[in-house]
Amino acid sequence: MIADDESVADFAEKDSARILLISDSHGGKSVLFNILEKYGKESDAVCFCGDGMPDLLGVIEDFRNIDGYEERIPKLVVFVQGNGDYANYQLVTDDRHAITVPQQTEFKAAGKKVMMTHGHRYNVYIGTKELKAEAERIGADIVFYGHTHIANAQTKTNSQTKSKISLLNPGSCSLPRGGLPHTFAIVTIEKSAADNSAVKFDYFEIKWNKEGDMEFSPFVPPSKEVNLFW
């Protein structure tokens, strides 16, 4: 996570937290740049679910050289290591900063516990059963993950507490699968809402117009289990 302690504490207790959720850029740095250019200033945090850490850090470095950097990059930048990422990088700004990329991370957003992982350690190619079990084990209300390159949004019931668990995959912003478009999501978490309505999400499809410029339009993600083998 790139953030100061005060921002992390404030984010945990916000009445409403707005998160820009992206995954699996796989070298598509320009796609990430354009998403953050448009939606970064409107978000409280950006969460990147792995496989493209050089893209994310490269965009941050690029924005550092543009006026209005603080408006483009949210105060919290949260990330996890994809199966195609390394565990350690350097962020080059005015100085060189060592960046350690965890396999999994947890944080609070508007009073809700969020678990974030790439997904390959939980066999998400064949469904979210293991992911849900881990969320129940640690008491997470929300799970962000990637790896499948398929946008997906599910709400499950915690078998122990009967509360809701939101399992959200933004899909791939660069290399989608399953005939789906390039996608990402914006997730809004309301602190005061009941657990079945606390998490709202808007998915967006990335398109290129005739001039080659990126455009973003609303997209409804699949809500059924993903199985890439049958």
Side-chain angles (χ1 to χ4, degrees):
M1 181 184 292
I2 301 173
D4 59 66
D5 292 342
E6 183 179 355
S7 296
V8 173
D10 289 345
F11 187 68
E13 298 303 326
K14 285 179 70 70
D15 291 332
S16 178
R18 181 181 172 92
I19 299 170
L20 179 57
L21 181 61
I22 316 172
S23 190
D24 293 279
S25 58
H26 286 279
K29 178 184 167 185
S30 64
V31 179
L32 269 182
F33 185 99
N34 280 274
I35 294 171
L36 279 162
E37 175 74 18
K38 182 170 178 62
Y39 294 103
K41 67 186 70 174
E42 303 172 4
S43 304
D44 299 305
V46 56
C47 290
F48 185 74
C49 296
D51 273 0
M53 279 301 302
D55 304 325
L56 178 64
L57 297 178
V59 168
I60 293 173
E61 291 171 357
D62 288 347
F63 278 151
R64 283 283 187 179
N65 297 317
I66 300 174
D67 289 339
Y69 161 79
E70 297 295 341
E71 296 179 359
R72 289 175 166 85
I73 299 294
K75 291 184 178 179
L76 276 75
V77 180
V78 191
F79 41 78
V80 289
Q81 183 183 345
N83 57 298
D85 292 323
Y86 295 115
N88 297 285
Y89 290 91
Q90 284 193 341
L91 176 64
V92 182
T93 55
D94 296 333
D95 297 304
R96 291 181 178 269
H97 305 274
I99 300 294
T100 300
V101 189
Q103 291 275 355
Q104 182 170 310
T105 192
E106 301 157 19
F107 59 93
K108 282 285 189 72
K112 308 299 180 188
K113 186 172 184 177
V114 180
M115 165 187 158
M116 186 169 151
T117 188
H118 185 59
H120 59 296
R121 297 168 65 235
Y122 295 100
N123 295 312
V124 294
Y125 274 2
I126 58 173
T128 58
K129 182 178 179 180
E130 293 182 30
L131 204 61
K132 175 177 178 282
E134 176 67 4
E136 291 182 345
R137 187 186 72 80
I138 66 172
D141 304 293
I142 304 159
V143 178
F144 295 156
Y145 71 104
H147 190 51
T148 64
H149 294 212
I150 295 176
N152 193 254
Q154 298 184 54
T155 301
K156 303 277 190 177
T157 300
N158 188 312
S159 60
Q160 302 166 14
T161 66
K162 307 306 177 186
S163 61
K164 301 297 182 182
I165 302 174
S166 297
L167 303 169
L168 303 177
N169 185 332
S172 172
C173 66
S174 184
L175 294 171
R177 295 183 179 130
L180 296 182
H182 304 70
T183 55
F184 63 96
I186 293 176
V187 182
T188 304
I189 304 170
E190 302 291 345
K191 186 176 182 180
S192 61
D195 70 351
N196 63 343
S197 61
V199 183
K200 298 180 180 179
F201 47 83
D202 296 292
Y203 279 64
F204 293 89
E205 174 181 354
I206 304 165
K207 297 179 179 179
W208 284 261
N209 61 26
K210 293 180 180 179
E211 288 73 35
D213 297 323
M214 289 182 202
E215 297 178 342
F216 310 105
S217 57
F219 175 74
V220 178
S223 58
K224 295 182 179 179
E225 284 283 7
V226 171
N227 191 316
L228 293 178
F229 294 105
W230 60 78

